[in-house]
Amino acid sequence: MNIFRLSGDVCHLVAIIILFLKIWRSKSCAGISGKSQVLFALVFTTRYLDLFTSFISIYNTVMKVVYLVLAYATVSLIYFRFRNSYDSESDSFRVEFLLVPVAGLSFLENYAFTPLEILWTFSIYLESVAILPQLFMITKTGEAESITTHYLFFLGLYRALYLGNWVWRYHVEGFFDQIAVVSGVVQTIFYCDFFYLYFTRVLRGRGKMTLPMPV
């Protein structure tokens, strides 16, 4: 464990909690992509199957359980408890365009051709693109509430800090995970434009972040 990984885990947890509390307190999931949240729940499910096969540490186990519980709780709020506020028309990204290539790639590029390893690889690839339905939804509607942008900021910061974690581990431990690093870089790139807009607009005190509407 190093400061980059610990900070990344904290940012990841903060992002998930921010989103959950936003929906729970406002009793609305307006502006939230249910499809992205389902993809993230799928990411955690396929990645943390080792909960039943191996034990690394109490910290590791607790964080995995918390991520799973919050992910499915958020999905249940969107599709069941507050489904009347869910904007399914704007949340129209075709997730099959993500799932099919990711599934195929996980069979072709992995470290071991075993069920758990393939599912772990699938989760890494899927996480790198799971935010796209949310970004697509924001682009389609043209704006996002500040609380939603805070969620996206911490989620992007988590990925950026994990890049630092991998650099640290490479220099200190000689460890390099090509699949995780490449997927993490791809995911961080998706947040670059968002980071610029977040710092130049949201942090200046605007209630919502307005984006160019698609032509």
Side-chain angles (χ1 to χ4, degrees):
M1 182 67 69
N2 58 69
I3 188 62
F4 293 104
R5 180 174 178 179
L6 181 60
S7 299
D9 287 347
V10 170
C11 287
H12 196 185
L13 184 60
V14 168
I16 296 172
I17 292 175
I18 284 176
L19 184 66
F20 180 82
L21 291 180
K22 183 268 182 189
I23 298 174
W24 181 262
R25 290 180 176 178
S26 66
K27 301 186 185 305
S28 170
C29 53
I32 304 299
S33 168
K35 292 183 177 181
S36 269
Q37 296 311 307
V38 168
L39 292 180
F40 280 122
L42 184 57
V43 166
F44 296 140
T45 301
T46 52
R47 182 174 303 171
Y48 298 149
L49 290 174
D50 62 351
L51 276 170
F52 303 101
T53 61
S54 62
F55 175 80
I56 300 175
S57 67
I58 294 177
Y59 169 83
N60 184 271
T61 299
V62 169
M63 291 296 280
K64 288 178 179 179
V65 171
V66 170
Y67 287 153
L68 282 166
V69 170
L70 287 176
Y72 279 97
T74 301
V75 169
S76 69
L77 291 182
I78 294 173
Y79 286 102
F80 296 100
R81 189 176 184 89
F82 303 125
R83 63 182 180 276
N84 291 334
S85 61
Y86 171 53
D87 185 3
S88 58
E89 184 176 344
S90 296
D91 192 16
S92 57
F93 191 93
R94 300 284 297 275
V95 294
E96 60 268 29
F97 292 156
L98 302 179
L99 290 172
V100 173
V102 164
L105 189 59
S106 65
F107 277 93
L108 296 174
E109 293 291 336
N110 53 67
Y111 293 129
F113 201 75
T114 63
L116 283 180
E117 189 65 28
I118 291 173
L119 288 172
W120 177 86
T121 306
F122 172 83
S123 76
I124 296 297
Y125 293 147
L126 182 60
E127 186 181 19
S128 68
V129 295
I131 198 61
L132 289 181
Q134 179 66 66
L135 297 178
F136 177 80
M137 186 176 185
I138 292 176
T139 302
K140 188 173 182 179
T141 58
E143 63 181 21
E145 295 181 3
S146 60
I147 194 68
T148 305
T149 59
H150 294 331
Y151 157 72
L152 290 171
F153 171 76
F154 278 102
L155 203 59
L157 185 58
Y158 141 68
R159 295 313 312 175
L161 286 167
Y162 255 66
L163 294 182
N165 165 60
W166 291 319
V167 172
W168 174 281
R169 294 193 66 184
Y170 177 75
H171 285 285
V172 175
E173 306 172 15
F175 175 84
F176 181 76
D177 187 331
Q178 181 177 338
I179 290 176
V181 171
V182 172
S183 298
V185 170
V186 170
Q187 186 175 0
T188 305
I189 290 173
F190 287 141
Y191 287 96
C192 288
D193 285 344
F194 171 80
F195 280 146
Y196 172 78
L197 292 172
Y198 183 86
F199 282 111
T200 58
R201 301 188 183 186
V202 176
L203 294 186
R204 289 181 178 179
R206 297 187 181 185
K208 293 185 177 182
M209 183 175 74
T210 304
L211 302 174
M213 290 293 288
V215 177

